[in-house]
Amino acid sequence: MVKSNKIQSISYTLEELRPIRASVDQCRVQLSNFIEKYKSVDLLELEMRLLSRCVYKNWNARHAELGIQASRRVVRFLERFLAKRERQLEQILSEFKPDAVHISLPSRGTLNQLISNLQESSMLLSKAERLSKTTVDRLRLECSRGNYVHYNILIMSLCSRIYFLVLALDKTQQEFCTNMPGCIDYARFLSRAALRRQPSAVREATQLFARSPPSTISFASGSPNTSLFPFKDATITLTDDTTIHLDSSAMAKALQYLPTPGQEDLLQWLKKLQNRYHSPIDFKRYELCITNGSMEGLSKVFELILNYAEPILVDSPCYSGSLDCLRGFGADVISINTDANGMSAQSLHEILSNWSDPNTLPRVLYTIPNGSNPTGASMNLERKKEIYAIAQKYNLIIIEDDPYYFLQFQKPDPSFLSMDTDGRVIRLDSMSKVLSAGMRLGFVTAPVPLCHKLVCHQQVTSMHASALSQMVALKLFEKWDLSGFHQHTERIAEFYGKQKTLMVNAIRKHLKGMVTFNEPKAGMFVWLKVNGVEDTRKLIYEKALAQEVLLLPGSAFFYDQSKTYPYVRVSYSISTPEQIETGMARFGKVLREELNK
Ligand SMILES: Cc1ncc(COP(=O)(O)O)c(C=O)c1O
């Protein structure tokens, strides 16, 4: 079987088609049993039973919901339909006697689309049924053989999904997930705290009200009356001298409590954004939650997965904010070496393959894939593929913390979210480097069951990210649209790219022979190794400061604080070209004195 990258088409030999057909047989038996067993049961009741099991026991609720929608309309229909289709397929295959068939496989997206829109699919099915009343010869004329086979495979896949759904009713989650291709047992990844969390009834009511028709009268809410607030409207002038306006109704929304995941229109916009830049293989697997900056998202994601003293694999060196968060948490931080391409797949593999107790293997990996803070390193596609393959082998969740995504100086490589075939990526985006750091806007994109628990946490902490910030961002995005946003990010990347070049040139000129570094491909930082210095703390805080130049000692970015480190993080984000030149000349002088050069 040959799979293309995005699994859009597949070549099956006839031999390989056999098990698919066998699973359809199995499926048919299961379907008849299902129909027999639940003949007298109201399907709706059955759905409620399954849904409550899924939602409250951390099942993969999306699969179940899709399955329910499918079962609602087509179970009986398919059972009749399938037998007929199979005979026809048989006939076609025997007539053409091909060695192999090349078919376009319905992508999971297509399949889900089909399942979730069964009204349409019912029509499609009946149309095909009408067609099938004609002879095979006519069929050959009316639709290509490839399409016909494709269509049958589509039906088979649909049936096997329903088959798995039926299985789910009688199985534990773990058993269900083992049988369901591409289904992850997310309960395995939840910390004890996350497992205990339940949706907050009050917050759920806010969500319910937000989604109700405007004519709904609510006596349920604890929201204050916005007419008493002193703010009326607002006009914000942008740097290009155009404006965005928050009229009184937008202002009222911006001053009120929001549903926890965020303002609905902004969420929809951010979904469009994720699709534009990452086009996840199956976006329905994920949900978004807007957070107060990505740091809030990160700390909640750590708490979502980790219990006290459990291991987490991280880049080393690593963003100090995350290390400090994990330290407070009591996590067992496992440092993985990095190089110019970010986390080393080889080191990661070595650590995992030599792990002493398989029962305590890490379940999660945290990495900053672009313009890393502090090293400026970016992972190339090859490295990402290697890391993803290891994550698959050891069943790890990948936390992709990517605040510098839009600060890339060359064409971006696909993100982990883009290549996530399994639903094992939690991605964190930040507006801090793009719109404003002070608005505190970030967002988490996570598989539905994980996002659901993250939202439960957010419901009882910040409740939601600032509604005013969300409204300002929304108005801006609506004015810009995706194209305007993209142009803005291009300007940003260009600015930081120029700053990087100035800084790298100044380092080469003033620190020649005294430091080694890799030129960043993204972000705001250069990571220097000072040759011949063991610990840069004194050098920075005493000697460099005395010369009126401030940098950050590398020790801040290592988990093990008992050691000394010869590194320095240099930021080029806010300095003018003159400051870059003068500052590096000053640091060069400090280093020459220190190294007697
Ligand atoms: C790697 C990394 N993650 C997260 C953050 C936090 O970003 P935010 O401002 O969105 O909270 C930062 C901030 O510098 C960062 O460098």
Side-chain angles (χ1 to χ4, degrees), residues 166-190:
V166 174
L167 273 188
L169 278 168
D170 300 321
K171 293 253 152 88
T172 64
Q173 181 182 10
Q174 203 179 1
E175 286 167 326
F176 172 67
C177 289
T178 323
N179 284 323
M180 182 83 178
C183 174
I184 287 190
D185 173 10
Y186 288 110
R188 178 184 177 272
F189 293 106
L190 292 170

Side-chain angles (χ1 to χ4, degrees), residues 292-296 298 319 322 366 368 373 401 403-404 429-433 437 440-442 525:
N292 290 292
S294 59
M295 192 64 235
E296 187 197 20
L298 267 179
Y319 171 50
S322 299
Y366 167 72
I368 303 161
N373 183 357
D401 179 17
Y404 304 101
D429 283 277
S430 168
M431 286 295 144
S432 289
K433 318 303 189 260
R440 307 305 302 131
L441 284 182
F525 309 108

Side-chain angles (χ1 to χ4, degrees), residues 124-389:
L124 194 74
L125 295 174
S126 19
K127 192 171 157 206
E129 204 166 36
R130 278 200 302 281
L131 267 183
S132 72
K133 292 203 180 74
T134 63
T135 62
V136 170
D137 264 358
R138 264 207 64 202
L139 245 180
R140 226 169 55 199
L141 286 176
E142 289 187 20
C143 55
S144 75
R145 188 188 74 206
N147 281 345
Y148 189 71
V149 175
H150 171 160
Y151 185 68
N152 277 278
I153 300 285
L154 192 88
I155 304 290
M156 289 179 195
S157 319
L158 182 56
C159 288
S160 53
R161 296 235 149 199
I162 296 178
Y163 161 66
F164 280 115
L165 170 79
V166 174
L167 273 188
L169 278 168
D170 300 321
K171 293 253 152 88
T172 64
Q173 181 182 10
Q174 203 179 1
E175 286 167 326
F176 172 67
C177 289
T178 323
N179 284 323
M180 182 83 178
C183 174
I184 287 190
D185 173 10
Y186 288 110
R188 178 184 177 272
F189 293 106
L190 292 170
S191 66
R192 285 191 282 279
L195 283 168
R196 279 194 300 271
R197 289 193 191 284
Q198 292 295 326
S200 138
V202 175
R203 294 269 70 219
E204 294 288 295
T206 312
Q207 178 104 3
L208 216 65
F209 189 50
R211 290 191 175 161
S212 304
S215 51
T216 306
I217 298 166
S218 172
F219 298 128
S221 131
S223 306
N225 195 316
T226 51
S227 68
L228 301 173
F229 293 157
F231 309 99
K232 189 172 157 208
D233 55 26
T235 301
I236 298 175
T237 309
L238 307 182
T239 43
D240 65 1
D241 283 333
T242 61
T243 56
I244 49 173
H245 183 64
L246 274 61
D247 61 16
S248 51
S249 103
M251 202 62 177
K253 269 193 188 170
L255 299 174
Q256 190 52 281
Y257 288 124
L258 279 180
T260 296
Q263 229 257 42
E264 189 57 35
D265 293 342
L266 182 59
L267 281 171
Q268 292 309 326
W269 205 90
L270 294 174
K271 281 182 190 169
K272 263 195 335 192
L273 188 89
Q274 292 302 64
N275 248 334
R276 155 78 172 77
Y277 289 99
H278 307 289
S279 47
I281 295 166
D282 185 358
F283 203 6
K284 285 199 183 117
R285 288 186 117 145
Y286 309 91
E287 251 328 320
L288 264 64
C289 178
I290 300 171
T291 50
N292 290 292
S294 59
M295 192 64 235
E296 187 197 20
L298 267 179
S299 74
K300 289 196 158 63
V301 168
F302 291 147
E303 207 238 49
L304 179 77
I305 300 174
L306 290 169
N307 294 307
Y308 176 74
E310 276 184 352
I312 175 166
L313 303 149
V314 306
D315 296 327
S316 182
C318 183
Y319 171 50
S320 55
S322 299
L323 288 183
D324 291 339
C325 184
L326 290 166
R327 194 173 279 119
F329 221 78
D332 179 13
V333 173
I334 312 293
S335 301
I336 310 292
N337 293 337
T338 56
D339 58 24
N341 289 317
M343 183 180 276
S344 152
Q346 199 189 344
S347 303
L348 178 65
H349 186 257
E350 266 167 31
I351 288 199
L352 289 170
S353 56
N354 291 317
W355 202 267
S356 54
D357 177 2
N359 295 319
T360 63
L361 270 165
R363 292 173 296 136
V364 59
L365 176 155
Y366 167 72
T367 186
I368 303 161
N370 292 304
S372 166
N373 183 357
T375 62
S378 295
M379 251 190 222
N380 57 17
L381 181 58
E382 195 189 337
R383 181 68 60 83
K384 279 195 190 130
K385 282 184 179 165
E386 286 171 335
I387 301 277
Y388 192 85

Side-chain angles (χ1 to χ4, degrees), residues 77-94:
F77 180 69
L78 279 173
E79 210 272 339
R80 285 198 321 267
F81 185 77
L82 195 64
K84 205 189 290 177
R85 282 288 166 278
E86 284 218 300
R87 281 198 304 276
Q88 284 165 347
L89 177 62
E90 190 92 356
Q91 208 174 340
I92 286 186
L93 292 178
S94 67

Side-chain angles (χ1 to χ4, degrees), residues 311-583:
I312 175 166
L313 303 149
V314 306
D315 296 327
S316 182
C318 183
Y319 171 50
S320 55
S322 299
L323 288 183
D324 291 339
C325 184
L326 290 166
R327 194 173 279 119
F329 221 78
D332 179 13
V333 173
I334 312 293
S335 301
I336 310 292
N337 293 337
T338 56
D339 58 24
N341 289 317
M343 183 180 276
S344 152
Q346 199 189 344
S347 303
L348 178 65
H349 186 257
E350 266 167 31
I351 288 199
L352 289 170
S353 56
N354 291 317
W355 202 267
S356 54
D357 177 2
N359 295 319
T360 63
L361 270 165
R363 292 173 296 136
V364 59
L365 176 155
Y366 167 72
T367 186
I368 303 161
N370 292 304
S372 166
N373 183 357
T375 62
S378 295
M379 251 190 222
N380 57 17
L381 181 58
E382 195 189 337
R383 181 68 60 83
K384 279 195 190 130
K385 282 184 179 165
E386 286 171 335
I387 301 277
Y388 192 85
I390 297 174
Q392 285 184 307
K393 180 168 178 196
Y394 290 95
N395 199 8
L396 303 171
I397 289 281
I398 297 177
I399 304 175
E400 175 174 50
D401 179 17
D402 205 358
Y404 304 101
Y405 178 81
F406 293 111
L407 278 65
Q408 296 189 63
F409 316 138
Q410 55 187 34
K411 192 170 169 285
D413 278 324
S415 62
F416 278 116
L417 181 65
S418 312
M419 60 172 69
D420 186 19
T421 46
D422 305 349
R424 59 175 70 255
V425 172
I426 300 180
R427 180 177 166 84
L428 290 110
D429 283 277
S430 168
M431 286 295 144
S432 289
K433 318 303 189 260
V434 181
L435 290 192
S436 142
M439 279 168 78
R440 307 305 302 131
L441 284 182
F443 56 103
V444 180
T445 308
V448 173
L450 299 181
C451 195
H452 168 70
K453 287 293 187 181
L454 186 123
V455 168
C456 290
H457 189 181
Q458 172 120 318
Q459 284 180 337
V460 291
T461 47
S462 59
M463 287 202 194
H464 57 76
S466 157
L468 187 57
S469 295
Q470 292 192 47
M471 183 55 84
V472 172
L474 176 65
K475 291 284 169 194
L476 182 70
F477 291 153
E478 282 175 346
K479 181 182 166 73
W480 274 352
D481 209 353
L482 279 176
S483 57
F485 178 83
H486 187 70
Q487 280 165 18
H488 175 69
T489 58
E490 279 180 336
R491 279 197 298 278
I492 289 181
E494 194 189 334
F495 171 83
Y496 285 107
K498 282 185 183 154
Q499 291 285 101
K500 181 264 309 180
T501 306
L502 288 173
M503 182 58 88
V504 164
N505 289 344
I507 291 171
R508 288 194 177 123
K509 180 171 158 194
H510 297 291
L511 311 185
K512 201 171 170 202
M514 297 185 285
V515 298
T516 42
F517 67 99
N518 293 310
E519 187 166 340
K521 297 191 183 83
M524 308 187 329
F525 309 108
V526 189
W527 182 243
L528 304 179
K529 178 168 190 266
V530 184
N531 303 326
V533 168
E534 270 185 18
D535 184 0
T536 51
R537 268 176 293 196
K538 210 167 162 195
L539 182 79
I540 301 292
Y541 289 136
E542 291 177 15
K543 299 181 182 164
L545 199 57
Q547 292 297 321
E548 297 188 340
V549 56
L550 187 58
L551 305 110
L552 217 56
S555 55
F557 304 97
F558 289 93
Y559 192 67
D560 186 349
Q561 289 293 303
S562 66
K563 291 188 183 155
T564 56
Y565 300 95
Y567 301 100
V568 175
R569 190 192 77 173
V570 183
S571 166
Y572 47 80
S573 55
I574 55 171
S575 316
T576 61
E578 295 73 35
Q579 286 172 326
I580 290 178
E581 184 63 24
T582 315

